[in-house]
Amino acid sequence: MSAVLTGRASGSAFSDTVVLTWRNLKRIPRIPELAAFAILQSVMFVLLFAFVFGGAIPLPGGGSYREYLMPGIFAQTLAFASATTTVGITDDMQKGLVDRFRSLPMVRSAFLTGRTIADVAYNAGILVVLMVTGLAVGWRIHNGVGQFLAALGVALLFAYAMSWLGVFLGQLTPTVEVAQQVAFTTVFPITFVSNAFVPLQALPGWLQPFAEWNPVSTLTAAMRDLFGNPNPPSGTRFPSEHPILMTVLWAVGIVAVFAPLAVRRYRDISK
């Protein structure tokens, strides 16, 4: 894939990717509002559902609603992070950054891979803050360190896959304003038609199959299983019985589809 986009013959894809990853990470403290509002938005959802709506949402089989809620908040935040990627890529394209990179002796694919790797680090930091918030409102982890780390791994794999979706959409949109609309229109349905906030049984019957196969639902259910949080049985289909495997398959599938599309689009733009 990178060979297609290699701007020079020397094999320095790794070093160029590291440089571009560091360049993207350095932007985070320079624009603290970006991370602050991403965290604030998720914290507002935590407070709203934990203290306002949560009491009116019964869980089949019982259990703490706040423990049920937090994995859904994590999944929602990671899905919406792809909107940040979309806007960031569009902004870079608008400002002529791609033209600047193209004039430099660097591997062109580093622009895309550096962005997606930096986004994983960014999302890991957001997750840490949200977990601390969750602990403050009553969320607890009941399984061991190994399953906790496995949950983080699945979550960050999903975040990496969604960043490729964001990279692809960011190259299609002409302005930052359009990018915001496109990203949220794409992510909003899969986030809220899911089991993130309410059990699947509470959704209309015709929506339940979509919600059950939804990658946000499988990631949420996978983290609930690994954290030992309440995870009401929602069906007998494959995603409900194997949410961890299904989430990994979703992540691999999203990367397999959108990474080549993003690379092809970038190659066409760079011609």
Side-chain angles (χ1 to χ4, degrees):
M1 182 169 66
S2 62
V4 177
L5 294 174
T6 300
R8 55 180 171 165
S10 58
S12 57
F14 177 77
S15 60
D16 289 347
T17 298
V18 171
V19 170
L20 267 294
T21 300
W22 181 240
R23 174 253 175 192
N24 286 302
L25 290 175
K26 285 198 300 183
R27 295 180 61 187
I28 297 174
R30 291 174 182 171
I31 315 175
E33 296 86 358
L34 196 63
F37 279 101
I39 293 169
L40 182 60
Q41 173 185 282
S42 298
V43 170
M44 288 176 63
F45 272 100
V46 172
L47 298 178
L48 185 65
F49 278 88
F51 296 104
V52 180
F53 297 143
I57 302 175
L59 294 182
S64 165
Y65 178 76
R66 295 176 190 177
E67 290 190 356
Y68 172 86
L69 172 67
M70 288 311 300
I73 294 291
F74 301 151
Q76 177 210 37
T77 302
L78 296 178
F80 272 103
S82 66
T84 304
T85 306
T86 301
V87 173
I89 290 290
T90 303
D91 189 45
D92 284 345
M93 306 283 283
Q94 260 193 307
K95 291 178 178 176
L97 194 66
V98 172
D99 295 333
R100 173 60 178 157
F101 286 157
R102 192 169 49 186
S103 69
L104 298 175
M106 59 175 285
V107 175
R108 295 177 185 173
S109 61
F111 174 66
L112 303 182
T113 53
R115 177 74 203 203
T116 54
I117 294 172
D119 282 350
V120 172
Y122 169 79
N123 285 311
I126 297 284
L127 272 182
V128 170
V129 176
L130 288 180
M131 286 181 174
V132 172
T133 304
L135 292 172
V137 300
W139 173 64
R140 296 293 182 268
I141 301 166
H142 300 285
N143 292 334
V145 174
Q147 296 199 54
F148 171 74
L149 294 177
L152 290 184
V154 172
L156 294 179
L157 177 64
F158 177 80
Y160 179 72
M162 292 298 289
S163 71
W164 276 108
L165 171 63
V167 166
F168 175 65
L169 293 177
Q171 294 180 85
L172 294 180
T173 48
T175 66
V176 170
E177 291 79 9
V178 175
Q180 290 174 332
Q181 298 300 322
V182 169
F184 280 99
T185 302
T186 304
V187 175
F188 199 88
I190 66 169
T191 301
F192 286 93
V193 185
S194 72
N195 62 356
F197 302 104
V198 298
L200 292 181
Q201 295 88 336
L203 299 175
W206 60 273
L207 266 181
Q208 290 182 18
F210 172 79
E212 191 173 359
W213 284 90
N214 182 344
V216 172
S217 291
T218 62
L219 173 61
T220 301
M223 286 192 286
R224 285 173 182 153
D225 278 350
L226 291 168
F227 289 142
N229 296 145
N231 188 24
S234 52
T236 58
R237 298 183 182 90
F238 185 82
S240 295
E241 296 190 342
H242 306 282
I244 300 171
L245 176 59
M246 192 66 227
T247 303
V248 172
L249 292 176
W250 265 120
V252 171
I254 291 170
V255 173
V257 171
F258 288 104
L261 289 175
V263 168
R264 182 175 180 178
R265 177 66 180 171
Y266 187 72
R267 181 185 59 192
D268 292 342
I269 292 172
S270 299
K271 286 179 179 176

